[in-house]
């Protein structure tokens, strides 16, 4: 059987070489000068007796290891010509190997009969049968005891990866048990015959390696029959077809590798030189590798063409192609041609290197599979650990949210109970308890939320990209190393430096996006607005800004600092990989910094002043502040200045260094005091009770009740004028909410007073005439003169009232 298979593998190369040279009879070379020609002469004499074609070989050329050649020089003209000459010799030696293989089999036998090979094959097969039985028992036991891991309805990625890794690990352990069992069977029936031992080990180890690739790697990657745990975008039918085709390729490849390994086991026939036979065996093995790799590369190319659509689906992922990233679509488009070009180039380079006698010449064709296996395992383990970490963080976030909701519900129940107790108390007792809380800020409780805020994994995408980029760069570097590239760091290799630069760029870009997402999320979570969204102008003509939290104010500044650091560090790493000495750059940057410090003192002053103002929490984004003659809402803050939006729309830019005094109208709370002009016949006690009831009703209002920090109350008579009695009411609210609540308060007071018969006073001026005079005796000119005088008095009174109101507002 080995002879028939080897003959089929070598036929193609033999026919091709004969077409070059006119057949083996015309091919002759000088014998080597090493003196190892005795065995060769015997072979030639035997060939002449048999009537065979006379062939002279060079015995030591293939046995001696060739000098290592860089991969770039493999396809040079000189290398190709040398490879062609060596290939002719390899074909000739392979024919000699096949012709005298029966004699080699008899020479390897202790009794001179070739039946030892059949016994070795039967022993290996028996060991594998026993190993397969142990494998089935192990996998069956694991399937019964770890069935709980298979949860097709669990959408978590960690559950899918955990199941796949557990199945792969248990299958790998079962394969190890199979190998040990097969070796034990071989040890039991061992006869001490070295060729038999080597043959059994080749068969057993090759089959176990095939089973590991088949069941541990490709079975879990394509997951036929387990669509719920399939991590790639494939249908069940496509996954089944791809897995079946790969099994065929793996089986053919394993058979070829086993035969190529077995070629070197046969010793030289009796009467031949061992060194010459070793050279012939090496040539036969290398030629078998060339043909075997051609078969495997052709099968992989055919599979890539046949499953091109499935390959595109794997690259594009589960989302539609139109929604995928342009880079991913480009990779999907180039996947097939790049695969075909790689297979052709890899087989050609491998063939030339094997023909030249360089070690590891067969690696370029097998390298993608080796790198793929290592990369898939590394990514699966890293992704599984990352998912576990973030699932635990999400669970911890949910527990904190639930505890927060429970605390809010307890506070809500206590507040409701307090309200009920206050409602049951005597009015005098309630007034006594409420006395003295003029400046107490009451934190109104809103009904607690019924849902838990979802966890936001801001940096999860960064870690995923970092893991993928690291594994990709390492795999590409390892693939280049397997191709023969020297990626040593001495002197810096351009390809290694390029990979490092690519990794730094990907990680820096991913970290930049993650930092932006995290800062934007925290700003919105704190109730702030992003820099690209202008604040809404207030309704009033004064301090209308509602300030954001301190974190929401400082995060945009931190964003700028972090981005600057990322760019600086990334640039330094890139320059270092390009071979630039960054030490002098630091020294030069220090000198430049000193020069800039002396030449831009105003800039430095603005930056340091802004840092201290922000550390002192003097103002926040969204607050209404006044700086000298400039007023407005803080709309944007940078490193050296900030912008104020006036309520009429104008934008003022103020450097931090120009601030000498700052007034903040939007901090903590605002006390609103509203005057009511009532007639002198009004019952003040009744007004007080009505205002108190209005305040309680507004607190319970579902729309504006939460805006009050202190309920509406009456302050009694504030002043008395000629035509009215001024009663003032007050309430406390947050800055920016006073204009909404003021409208509601005025509307509620007007409605209740109209219903209760309380009248508002209008401005009146009483003119008293001198004693004895009557209004009917006045002329028209006298009446107009009196009306003009009254009008000027009214205007002066109104102006004085406005001025006093502004002064009071400024004082508050």
């Amino acid at each position: 059987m080995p002879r028939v298979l080897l003959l089929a593998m070598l036929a193609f190369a033999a026919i091709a070489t004969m077409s070059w040279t006119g057949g083996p009879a015309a091919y002759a070379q000088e014998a080597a000068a090493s003196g190892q020609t005795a065995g060769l002469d015997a072979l030639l004499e035997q060939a002449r007796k048999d009537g065979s074609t006379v062939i002279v070989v060079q015995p030591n050329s293939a046995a001696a290891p060739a000098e290592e050649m860089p991969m770039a020089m493999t396809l040079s003209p000189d290398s190709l010509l040398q490879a062609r000459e060596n290939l002719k010799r390899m074909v000739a030696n392979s024919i000699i190997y096949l012709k005298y293989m029966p004699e080699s089999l008899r020479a390897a036998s202790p009794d001179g009969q070739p039946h030892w090979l059949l016994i070795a094959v039967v022993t290996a097969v028996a060991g594998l049968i026993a190993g397969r039985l142990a494998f089935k028992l192990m996998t069956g036991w694991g399937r019964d005891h770890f069935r709980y891991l298979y949860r097709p309805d669990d959408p978590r990625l960690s559950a899918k990866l955990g199941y796949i890794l557990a199945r792969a690990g248990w299958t790998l352990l079962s394969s190890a048990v199979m190998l040990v069992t097969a070796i034990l069977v071989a040890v039991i029936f061992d006869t001490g015959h070295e060729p038999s031992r080597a043959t059994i080990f080749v068969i057993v180890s090759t089959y176990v390696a095939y089973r590991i690739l088949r069941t541990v790697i490709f079975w879990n990657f394509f997951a036929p029959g387990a669509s719920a745990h399939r991590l790639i975008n494939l249908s069940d039918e496509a996954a089944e077809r791809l897995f079946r085709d790969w099994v065929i390729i793996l089986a053919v490849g394993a058979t070829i590798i086993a035969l190529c390994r077995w070629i070197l086991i046969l010793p030289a026939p009796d009467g031949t030189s061992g060194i010459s036979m070793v050279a012939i065996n090496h040539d036969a093995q290398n030629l078998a590798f060339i043909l075997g790799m051609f078969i495997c590369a052709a099968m992989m190319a055919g599979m890539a063409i046949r499953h091109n659509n499935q390959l595109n689906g794997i690259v594009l992922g589960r989302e539609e192609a139109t929604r995928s990233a342009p880079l991913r679509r480009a990779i999907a488009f180039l996947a097939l041609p790049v695969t075909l070009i790689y297979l052709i180039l890899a087989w050609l380079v491998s063939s030339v290197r094997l023909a030249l006698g360089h070690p590891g010449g067969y690696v370029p064709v097998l390298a993608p599979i080796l790198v793929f296996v290592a990369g898939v395992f590394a990514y699966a383990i890293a992704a599984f650990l990352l998912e576990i970490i973030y699932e635990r963080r999400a669970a911890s976030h949910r527990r904190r949210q639930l505890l927060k909701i429970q605390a809010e519900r307890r506070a809500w129940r206590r507040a409701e109970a307090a309200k009920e107790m206050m409602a049951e108390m005597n009015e005098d007792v309630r007034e006594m308890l409420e006395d003295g809380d003029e400046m107490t800020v009451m934190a109104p409780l809103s009904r607690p939320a019924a849902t838990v805020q979802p966890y936001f994994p801001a940096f999860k995408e960064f870690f995923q990209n970092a893991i993928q980029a690291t594994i990709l760069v390492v795999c590409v570097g390892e693939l280049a190393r397997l191709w023969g590239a020297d990626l040593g760091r001495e002197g810096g290799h351009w390809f290694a430096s390029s990979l490092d630069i690519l990794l730094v760029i990907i990680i820096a870009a991913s970290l930049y996006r993650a930092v932006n997402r995290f800062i934007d999320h925290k700003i919105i979570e704190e109730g702030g607005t992003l820099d690209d969204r202008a604040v809404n102008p207030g309704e009033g003509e004064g301090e209308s800004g509602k300030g954001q939290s301190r974190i929401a104010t400082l995060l945009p500044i931190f964003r700028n600092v972090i981005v600057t650091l990322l760019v600086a560090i990334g640039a330094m790493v890139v320059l270092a990989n390009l071979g630039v000495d960054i030490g002098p750059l630091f020294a030069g940057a220090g000198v430049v910094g000193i020069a800039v410090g002396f030449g831009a003192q105003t800039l430095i002053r603005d930056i340091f002043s802004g840092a201290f103002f922000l550390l002192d929490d003097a103002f926040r984004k969204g607050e209404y502040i006044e700086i000298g003659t400039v007023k407005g809402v803080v709309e944007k803050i940078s490193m050296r200045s900030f912008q104020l939006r006036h309520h009429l729309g104008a934008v003022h830019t103020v450097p931090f260094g120009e601030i000498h005094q700052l007034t903040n109208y939007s901090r903590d709370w605002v006390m609103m005091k509203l005057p009511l002009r009532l007639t002198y016949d009004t019952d003040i006690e009744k007004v007080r009770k009505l205002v108190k009831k209005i305040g309680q009703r507004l607190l319970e209002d579902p729309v504006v009740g939460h805006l009050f920090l202190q309920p509406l109350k009456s302050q009694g008579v504030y002043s008395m004028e000629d035509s009215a009695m001024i009663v003032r009411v007050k309430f406390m609210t947050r800055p920016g909410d006073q204009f909404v609540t003021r409208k509601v308060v005025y509307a509620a007071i007007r409605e209740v007073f109209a219903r209760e018969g309380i009248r508002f006073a209008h401005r009146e001026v009483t003119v008293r005439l001198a004693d004895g005079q009557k209004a009917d005796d006045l002329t028209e000119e006298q009446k107009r003169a009196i009306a003009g005088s009254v009008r000027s008095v009214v205007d002066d009174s109104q102006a004085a009232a406005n001025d006093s109101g502004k002064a009071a507002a400024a004082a508050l």
Side-chain angles (χ1 to χ4, degrees):
M1 179 180 66
R3 183 175 180 179
V4 175
L5 290 175
L6 286 174
L7 184 61
M9 293 171 59
L10 299 177
F12 176 79
I15 294 173
T17 305
M18 290 177 185
S19 64
W20 294 343
T21 61
Y27 174 55
Q29 292 182 340
E30 296 294 333
S34 61
Q36 304 292 340
T37 58
L40 180 60
D41 293 339
L43 288 175
L44 295 177
E45 183 63 27
Q46 182 64 34
R48 292 189 184 94
K49 291 180 181 180
D50 296 339
S52 303
T53 304
V54 179
I55 301 174
V56 182
V57 298
Q58 183 178 354
N60 290 327
S61 61
E67 183 180 356
E68 183 66 23
M69 177 182 295
M71 189 65 64
M73 299 177 60
T74 301
L75 300 181
S76 63
D78 294 338
S79 300
L80 293 176
L81 292 175
Q82 182 64 36
R84 187 186 69 174
E85 296 300 321
N86 291 351
L87 186 61
K88 296 177 183 179
R89 187 198 68 241
M90 292 165 61
V91 173
N93 287 346
S94 298
I95 294 175
I96 294 175
Y97 177 86
L98 292 175
K99 186 174 184 62
Y100 291 97
M101 189 170 62
E103 296 182 15
S104 299
L105 291 174
R106 285 191 294 271
S109 175
D111 55 1
Q113 298 296 326
H115 63 273
W116 66 270
L117 179 61
L118 179 61
I119 295 175
V121 172
V122 171
T123 302
V125 172
L128 290 176
I129 291 175
R132 281 285 293 163
L133 180 60
F135 180 86
K136 285 183 175 292
L137 292 176
M138 284 280 294
T139 53
W141 186 89
R143 189 181 302 110
D144 294 337
H145 287 76
F146 300 107
R147 193 181 301 275
Y148 67 92
L149 294 175
Y150 181 71
R151 296 187 292 269
D153 298 332
D154 195 340
R156 296 178 302 160
L157 182 60
S158 62
K160 299 179 180 181
L161 286 172
Y163 170 75
I164 292 175
L165 288 175
R167 186 170 70 171
W170 188 256
T171 307
L172 184 62
L173 180 62
S174 302
S175 301
V177 172
M178 179 174 62
L179 175 63
V180 172
T181 304
I183 295 298
L184 287 176
V185 172
V187 170
I188 292 173
F189 294 98
D190 180 58
T191 60
H193 186 229
E194 289 298 331
S196 297
R197 288 178 178 176
T199 302
I200 293 172
F201 181 76
V202 166
I203 296 175
V204 171
S205 61
T206 304
Y207 179 79
V208 171
Y210 157 76
R211 292 296 304 183
I212 290 176
L213 288 175
R214 181 183 186 274
T215 57
V216 177
I217 305 300
F218 289 94
W219 174 261
N220 290 288
F221 182 76
F222 293 109
S227 58
H229 291 77
R230 188 179 302 125
L231 303 180
I232 55 178
N233 183 26
L234 285 177
S235 62
D236 292 340
E237 183 180 358
E240 185 69 31
R241 288 200 308 268
L242 276 170
F243 176 72
R244 183 177 62 249
D245 291 347
W246 268 110
V247 167
I248 296 173
I249 294 176
L250 291 175
V252 173
T255 303
I256 292 173
I257 292 175
L259 291 175
C260 292
R261 293 174 61 193
W262 183 79
I263 288 176
L264 296 181
I265 293 177
L266 290 182
D270 294 338
T272 61
S273 171
I275 295 180
S276 63
M277 196 62 193
V278 169
I280 292 174
N281 288 359
H282 274 287
D283 280 345
Q285 185 190 49
N286 288 338
L287 186 61
F289 265 124
I290 291 174
L291 292 176
M293 286 187 300
F294 174 78
I295 295 173
C296 292
M299 293 179 67
M300 286 190 287
M303 188 186 67
I305 295 173
R306 178 185 178 188
H307 299 286
N308 184 33
N309 293 333
Q310 288 76 17
L311 182 63
N312 290 338
I314 293 175
V315 175
L316 291 174
R318 297 186 181 276
E319 55 189 23
E320 300 179 3
T322 55
R323 297 182 180 178
S324 301
L327 179 59
R328 183 173 292 186
R329 292 201 301 268
I331 294 175
F333 177 76
L334 296 174
L336 179 60
V338 169
T339 301
L340 297 179
I341 293 173
Y342 177 86
L343 290 174
I344 295 172
L345 182 62
W347 178 78
L348 182 60
V349 171
S350 299
S351 301
V352 172
R353 291 180 65 84
L354 286 171
L356 294 176
H358 295 297
Y362 52 86
V363 171
V365 176
L366 302 179
I369 298 179
L370 300 176
V371 171
F372 168 77
V373 170
V376 166
F377 258 108
Y379 178 74
I381 294 174
F384 174 72
L385 295 177
L386 183 65
E387 289 295 327
I388 291 296
I389 292 173
Y390 270 93
E391 284 181 3
R392 291 183 177 180
R393 290 178 62 88
S396 177
H397 171 78
R398 179 176 176 82
R399 286 194 297 270
R400 291 194 301 268
Q401 289 287 315
L402 291 175
L403 292 176
K404 180 181 178 181
I405 291 176
Q406 292 176 1
E408 291 177 352
R409 288 177 178 174
R410 288 194 296 268
W412 173 263
R413 288 194 293 268
R414 287 196 296 268
E416 291 297 316
K419 289 181 181 179
E420 293 178 0
M421 292 176 59
M422 290 291 290
E424 295 173 358
M425 290 182 181
N426 184 274
E427 185 176 354
D428 296 333
V429 176
R430 289 202 305 269
E431 291 179 357
M432 181 181 64
L433 293 175
E434 294 174 355
D435 189 23
D437 62 349
E438 292 292 321
M439 301 300 294
T440 301
V441 179
M442 183 182 66
L445 295 175
S446 58
R447 186 175 295 275
T451 58
V452 177
Q453 294 294 329
Y455 175 66
F456 179 72
F459 289 93
K460 182 178 180 181
E461 183 180 356
F462 160 70
F463 289 115
Q464 289 175 341
N465 293 336
I467 291 172
Q468 294 174 1
T470 303
I471 293 177
L472 176 63
V473 169
V474 171
C475 288
V476 172
E478 187 63 20
L479 185 62
R481 191 191 66 80
L482 292 175
W483 269 72
D486 183 12
L487 301 182
R489 289 297 191 268
E490 296 182 0
H493 193 279
W494 68 269
F495 189 72
S497 299
S498 301
L499 291 179
D500 291 341
I501 292 173
L502 178 63
L503 180 61
V504 169
I505 292 175
I506 293 176
I507 291 179
S510 301
L511 184 57
Y512 171 74
R513 290 196 299 267
V515 168
N516 271 336
R517 293 179 64 230
F518 172 75
I519 291 178
D520 291 345
H521 174 74
K522 291 299 293 184
I523 291 175
I524 296 175
E525 187 179 54
E526 292 290 329
T529 57
L530 304 180
D531 289 339
D532 56 350
R533 301 177 185 175
V535 296
N536 294 324
E539 298 182 18
E541 297 180 354
E543 52 275 17
S544 59
K546 184 185 295 184
Q548 301 179 8
S549 66
R550 189 176 187 185
I551 295 178
T553 301
L554 295 177
L555 282 176
I557 308 298
F558 293 156
R559 187 208 308 270
N560 297 332
V561 175
I562 293 173
V563 169
T564 303
L565 290 176
L566 281 177
V567 173
I569 295 174
M572 288 188 294
V573 174
V574 169
L575 290 175
N577 280 278
L578 291 176
V580 178
D581 187 5
I582 61 176
L585 294 179
F586 283 108
V591 175
V592 172
I594 296 174
V596 170
F598 280 108
Q601 297 183 19
T602 303
L603 176 63
I604 301 301
R605 183 191 64 176
D606 291 338
I607 294 175
F608 276 93
S609 298
F612 284 109
F613 271 112
L614 293 175
L615 289 176
D616 291 340
D617 198 19
F619 60 89
R620 300 174 185 175
K621 185 178 178 181
E623 291 184 336
Y624 192 92
I625 64 176
E626 178 182 359
I627 304 173
T629 59
V630 178
K631 296 181 181 180
V633 178
V634 180
E635 187 173 78
K636 186 176 181 181
I637 303 175
S638 65
M639 295 294 294
R640 63 168 296 272
S641 64
F642 62 98
Q643 294 180 351
L644 298 181
R645 171 79 66 173
H646 194 266
H647 59 271
L648 297 179
V651 177
H652 305 282
T653 301
V654 182
F656 289 115
E658 301 296 329
I659 302 176
H660 300 289
Q661 181 180 356
L662 186 146
T663 304
N664 194 331
Y665 293 104
S666 302
R667 186 55 56 91
D668 300 332
W669 51 268
V670 173
M671 181 69 74
M672 291 293 293
K673 297 181 178 180
L674 308 178
L676 305 177
R677 296 176 56 84
L678 304 178
T679 59
Y680 276 98
D681 59 352
T682 302
D683 187 352
I684 301 302
E685 182 64 18
K686 182 179 180 181
V687 169
R688 185 186 67 80
K689 294 181 179 180
L690 290 177
V691 170
K692 186 174 182 179
K693 291 180 180 179
I694 294 173
Q696 293 298 325
R697 192 187 71 182
L698 291 178
L699 280 178
E700 299 172 359
D701 189 276
V703 179
V704 298
H706 65 283
L707 300 179
F708 288 92
L709 299 180
Q710 199 177 84
L712 180 68
K713 295 180 180 180
S714 173
Q715 289 186 297
V717 178
Y718 176 70
S719 65
M720 301 183 70
E721 297 180 358
D722 293 340
S723 59
M725 180 172 51
I726 308 300
V727 176
R728 194 164 66 175
V729 297
K730 68 168 187 174
F731 64 91
M732 184 184 293
T733 183
R734 295 184 180 91
D737 293 335
Q738 66 267 35
F739 304 105
V740 177
T741 53
R742 184 176 62 183
K743 293 188 298 184
V744 177
V745 167
Y746 272 137
I749 290 176
R750 181 181 180 279
E751 177 186 356
V752 172
F753 281 14
R755 186 175 62 247
E756 297 294 333
I758 297 176
R759 295 178 297 120
F760 290 96
H762 303 285
R763 289 189 178 275
E764 297 178 356
V765 177
T766 302
V767 179
R768 301 181 66 88
L769 300 178
D771 294 339
Q773 292 186 359
K774 296 182 180 180
D776 295 337
D777 298 336
L778 298 176
T779 64
E780 292 298 328
E781 293 181 0
Q782 290 175 332
K783 290 180 180 180
R784 285 196 297 268
I786 292 173
S789 301
V790 171
R791 183 62 185 175
S792 62
V793 172
V794 172
D795 292 340
D796 292 341
S797 300
Q798 184 65 37
N802 293 337
D803 293 339
S804 62
K806 291 182 179 180
L812 292 176

